Amino acid sequence: MNQPELFCPEFALLLGALLSFACTAIGTTTRVAWLVSITVALIAVGTSAVALSYQGQPFDAGMYSVDAFSQVLKLGISVALAFAIAISQRQDSTRASARTEVHFVLYLSALGMMMLVSATELLTLYIALELSAYGLYILAALHKRERLGSEAAAKYILFGAAASAISLYGISLIYGATQSTYISVIAASGGSPLLIVGIVLTLAGVLYKLAAFPVHAWAPDTYQGAPHEASVFLATASKVAAVGLLLRVLSMAGGETEHLKTLLIVVAVLSMSVGNLSALFQKDFKRLLGFSAVAHAGYLLLGLLTFSELGAAAAIFYVLTYVPIVVCAFLVVAAVSQNGANPSIASLAGLYKRSPFLGLVLLVAMFGLAGIPPTPGLAGKWFLFSAVIEDGHLWLVLVAAINATISLYYYLLVVKSAYLSPPGDAPAITLSPTYSVTAFVAVVLVMFSGFYPAPVWSMAKAAASLLF
């Protein structure tokens, strides 16, 4: 391996996977396994931050690229992993027999995602995609209520297997059109009709990870049926990886982007509309967050469909700031949950009295998802809308604005339940020190990037400049 230091974020996750496996093999307590995992996860965050400026190719040229684009997304993945492991301290929604194995699976999946955003060769990309997916399939099945977890995993696996098969067929068409599996060579080959068809089919697996229409139906069921720590990892890290994967795949089109742009416009509009309209009728809070994720996939696609540096930077900024916002929402889910049950919106009644700090965390999450200042949700949508307007699609911004207005209704319903409904006989909630620190860090990240988005935007622009 040339320049092994370029692989240091991946090495950190590999170390975490090996140590987690060792904890499982020797039968340590869940407390010890969690302490080992959270320690290595924090090391991985630090390593990813240090490696932001690294550039090079640790393997054969053109196969695996370490650059500003991959390193920024790796930082987002490692932060999402650390939050998921922090939330997994409680594990009251995970079946007891699997609680020490959860961290091992989380690390393997995150390792696949890191390799995914650096892969610049199609077979390497596909293997990394499968590595990241298998861990998520397992995690979705580990809910303590076996019937709920089995249903969530079955739907996730069936959708994933179909999307993976279609993507693999698309990759074969791309190779047939260009006689190469290297993305740089494919992008320079010219957009033949066979290549465009191959890219469209390959997008099936990518849009599935993003939970975009029409491969979105698994999201609300899997969010609802997976353990809480699995849901938060699925809702954050996989979205960061999906944006990186989408940008890599779309960059293969070269200058032939009109047909792909039309397809992505249709997918974006339907994702926003289906996600927001479906969320209006949800009573289960995790299921609501699942449909919200579908809607946000539509917003992310607004930046990607422009095939521009501004649009790519806007999508990267949006997904990076989306991570701590969603963590805030799922931390409330884990804290309010009783014996692993999913909280309903009604069960959040009087949350601000039962735990004032947790009420604030929920408020920050809902305002962030709705795009209400001073959260970065507003800046993220502003950047996305600016890219779409620059691309000449003002009507698409109007559609997105209408959808954002619809989403205000169900986000504010959650806030109403927490702040205006009486708590009744619901007990007060006392947060553990770990949950308190995790919530504080997530809120600080949200508010900092809301008041001062420049550092995240600078990283996003540096990453996007390498693609378009």
Side-chain angles (χ1 to χ4, degrees):
M1 181 188 296
N2 298 323
Q3 298 177 287
E5 68 277 5
L6 299 179
F7 207 64
C8 58
E10 291 88 336
F11 279 141
L13 293 190
L14 186 59
L15 173 65
L18 293 174
L19 291 177
S20 298
F21 180 78
C23 289
T24 301
I26 64 177
T28 62
T29 64
T30 55
R31 175 68 177 173
V32 171
W34 178 82
L35 286 173
V36 170
S37 295
I38 192 64
T39 300
V40 179
L42 294 175
I43 292 173
V45 172
T47 304
S48 299
V50 170
L52 277 174
S53 60
Y54 288 6
Q55 294 184 12
Q57 298 190 19
F59 303 116
D60 291 340
M63 179 179 292
Y64 197 88
S65 180
V66 173
D67 50 30
F69 174 77
S70 65
Q71 301 309 93
V72 165
L73 295 178
K74 286 177 188 177
L75 178 60
I77 291 167
S78 61
V79 168
L81 173 67
F83 276 127
I85 292 177
I87 290 175
S88 74
Q89 182 200 34
R90 189 171 172 185
Q91 285 192 304
D92 61 344
S93 63
T94 308
R95 64 182 67 173
S97 61
R99 288 177 180 173
T100 55
E101 287 88 350
V102 164
H103 306 122
F104 171 67
V105 178
L106 283 171
Y107 271 108
L108 278 186
S109 184
L111 176 61
M113 292 176 187
M114 280 198 178
M115 296 176 69
L116 190 63
V117 298
S118 272
T120 52
E121 190 268 338
L122 290 181
L123 295 181
T124 308
L125 184 148
Y126 182 77
I127 293 171
L129 176 64
E130 293 302 291
L131 176 61
S132 67
Y134 289 154
L136 296 176
Y137 297 155
I138 296 170
L139 287 171
L142 297 182
H143 199 283
K144 66 186 299 183
R145 299 182 180 182
E146 293 189 13
R147 182 176 178 181
L148 191 63
S150 298
E151 182 181 353
K155 291 178 179 178
Y156 191 31
I157 292 171
L158 288 174
F159 271 92
S164 177
I166 295 171
S167 292
L168 190 58
Y169 182 59
I171 289 173
S172 71
L173 294 183
I174 292 172
Y175 178 77
T178 63
Q179 303 301 306
S180 176
T181 58
Y182 290 89
I183 290 177
S184 59
V185 176
I186 295 168
S189 66
S192 67
L194 183 60
L195 173 61
I196 299 302
V197 172
I199 292 174
V200 169
L201 293 176
T202 305
L203 285 175
V206 187
L207 294 176
Y208 155 78
K209 289 190 71 69
L210 197 62
F213 184 93
V215 284
H216 70 287
W218 62 269
D221 293 317
T222 304
Y223 278 41
Q224 182 182 17
H228 302 327
E229 60 269 25
S231 295
V232 69
F233 185 73
L234 185 63
T236 54
S238 67
K239 297 298 181 288
V240 177
V243 168
L245 179 56
L246 259 172
L247 286 168
R248 292 287 193 198
V249 171
L250 293 176
S251 68
M252 294 189 295
E256 299 295 325
T257 59
E258 287 306 313
H259 297 295
L260 290 174
K261 185 175 294 189
T262 302
L263 172 65
L264 292 175
I265 287 174
V266 173
V267 172
V269 170
L270 290 175
S271 296
M272 290 185 290
S273 302
V274 170
N276 283 318
L277 292 175
S278 299
L280 293 174
F281 305 100
Q282 304 307 312
K283 304 300 181 185
D284 185 286
F285 188 35
K286 286 178 73 178
R287 192 171 180 83
L288 181 147
L289 292 173
F291 279 112
S292 170
V294 176
H296 283 277
Y299 298 136
L300 279 166
L301 288 173
L302 294 179
L304 302 178
L305 63 83
T306 63
F307 290 89
S308 66
E309 182 179 329
L310 177 60
I316 294 170
F317 176 90
Y318 196 89
V319 78
L320 290 178
T321 55
Y322 180 78
V323 168
I325 292 172
V326 175
V327 165
C328 287
F330 276 99
L331 192 140
V332 172
V333 168
V336 173
S337 172
Q338 297 293 327
N339 297 319
N342 290 344
S344 64
I345 296 174
S347 69
L348 300 174
L351 184 62
Y352 84 103
K353 289 185 177 179
R354 297 159 60 194
S355 174
F357 180 51
L358 201 58
L360 174 64
V361 174
L362 180 64
L363 184 68
V364 168
M366 294 301 100
F367 276 21
L369 291 172
I372 298 175
T375 66
L378 176 65
K381 287 185 173 63
W382 176 267
F383 291 141
L384 289 171
F385 292 172
S386 298
V388 175
I389 291 173
E390 185 179 271
D391 197 49
H393 293 89
L394 178 60
W395 69 270
L396 194 52
V397 172
L398 297 177
V399 172
I402 292 170
N403 271 282
T405 305
I406 293 172
S407 72
L408 280 174
Y409 176 76
Y410 61 83
Y411 290 134
L412 293 179
L413 274 183
V414 176
V415 175
K416 173 181 176 293
S417 179
Y419 278 84
L420 300 180
S421 299
D425 298 330
I429 299 172
T430 302
L431 293 179
S432 68
T434 298
Y435 270 37
S436 297
V437 171
T438 303
F440 177 77
V441 171
V443 169
V444 167
L445 287 176
V446 172
M447 300 309 293
F448 177 80
S449 55
F451 280 109
Y452 186 50
V456 182
W457 178 243
S458 297
M459 288 193 300
K461 284 180 66 179
S465 65
L466 298 176
L467 294 169
F468 297 104

